[in-house]
Amino acid sequence: MSDAMVNLLLSALWETLLMTFGSGVIACLLGIPLGIALHVSKPGQIWQNAIFNKVLGTVINIGRSIPFIILMVAIIPFTRLVAGTSIGTMAAIVPLTVAAIPFVARLMEAALMEVPAGLVEAAQAMGAKRLQIISKVLLPEALPGMLNGIIITLVTLVNYSAMAGAIGGGGLGDVGIRYGYQRFDGQVMLITVVMLVVLVQIIQSAGERLVTYVDHR
């Protein structure tokens, strides 16, 4: 393999990392509060609001139901507005983030549902306010599950970033399509697949170690 191809693969790996973690960070910053709001607004929870919960849940479900490849094309005007272009790594971060936000929200909601109701009731009995219950009870107790959800999101974003490469997003997916598939270069295709698999394994392994470290149950 030529030095030029090695440099291309390394550059593509960096673009994949940028797309994955860039969109992952933004999605978590927006998706975690949505997941918390979704959980605490349920009937019987500390901030119950059936109408708000129904509307928010419907919006999140709509976001999760749109296939990523269709979403990328559908929000091209929004991508251009935010990134100034619809092609390239920075542009790909926009639809990746939009796709990941509802995904994160549902995973955070699922993690919070695992917190025993008795802990919340005990905090209420001691006079804790709602924000205190969220910050001192719900989030610490749900932290392992929330971290696990973030790891699942990052792995999913690696897969999505490869799809983004198919329509000009850059990264390993772009190299695999342009050099592996279109030029019938099996070696390049195999290398890109192996690099993606290794990247996923690293993220998963590091995430499992982190979850084990913070889980004191």
Side-chain angles (χ1 to χ4, degrees):
M1 181 178 294
S2 66
D3 291 341
M5 182 56 68
V6 172
N7 290 334
L8 179 64
L9 287 168
L10 292 176
S11 177
L13 175 60
W14 166 248
E15 291 172 352
T16 295
L17 291 172
L18 185 61
M19 284 189 284
T20 299
F21 289 95
S23 59
V25 168
I26 300 172
C28 287
L29 290 175
L30 299 176
I32 290 174
L34 287 177
I36 295 171
L38 198 59
H39 176 71
V40 300
S41 62
K42 289 179 178 179
Q45 295 297 330
I46 58 174
W47 230 315
Q48 60 180 343
N49 186 322
I51 296 177
F52 172 79
N53 183 267
K54 185 70 174 179
V55 171
L56 181 59
T58 300
V59 172
I60 289 174
N61 287 339
I62 291 172
R64 291 184 62 200
S65 66
I66 302 174
F68 178 67
I69 196 72
I70 295 176
L71 177 67
M72 283 193 68
V73 176
I75 67 169
I76 281 177
F78 178 68
T79 300
R80 285 178 180 155
L81 179 65
V82 174
T85 179
S86 60
I87 298 174
T89 302
M90 298 308 296
I93 289 176
V94 177
L96 284 169
T97 301
V98 173
I101 288 172
F103 191 72
V104 171
R106 282 299 184 187
L107 289 174
M108 297 305 106
E109 178 199 16
L112 290 166
M113 289 173 62
E114 297 298 318
V115 178
L119 294 177
V120 176
E121 293 171 359
Q124 288 176 317
M126 290 187 290
K129 297 181 179 179
R130 289 180 290 193
L131 287 177
Q132 291 176 320
I133 292 173
I134 293 172
S135 61
K136 304 294 185 182
V137 179
L138 289 176
L139 294 182
E141 289 296 323
L143 183 58
M146 293 173 72
L147 288 175
N148 192 52
I150 291 172
I151 298 305
I152 293 172
T153 301
L154 290 175
V155 170
T156 302
L157 285 170
V158 171
N159 296 328
Y160 282 179
S161 72
M163 283 191 280
I167 56 173
L172 291 170
D174 179 46
V175 173
I177 292 294
R178 286 196 295 125
Y179 293 88
Y181 175 72
Q182 294 178 352
R183 300 187 184 184
F184 303 101
D185 191 330
Q187 184 183 26
V188 172
M189 180 65 78
L190 178 61
I191 290 173
T192 55
V193 169
V194 170
M195 291 177 71
L196 287 168
V197 170
V198 170
L199 178 58
V200 167
Q201 291 299 319
I202 291 173
I203 293 173
Q204 187 68 48
S205 297
E208 289 174 355
R209 287 175 179 267
L210 182 59
V211 170
T212 301
Y213 177 76
V214 302
D215 191 356
H216 301 297
R217 291 174 294 182

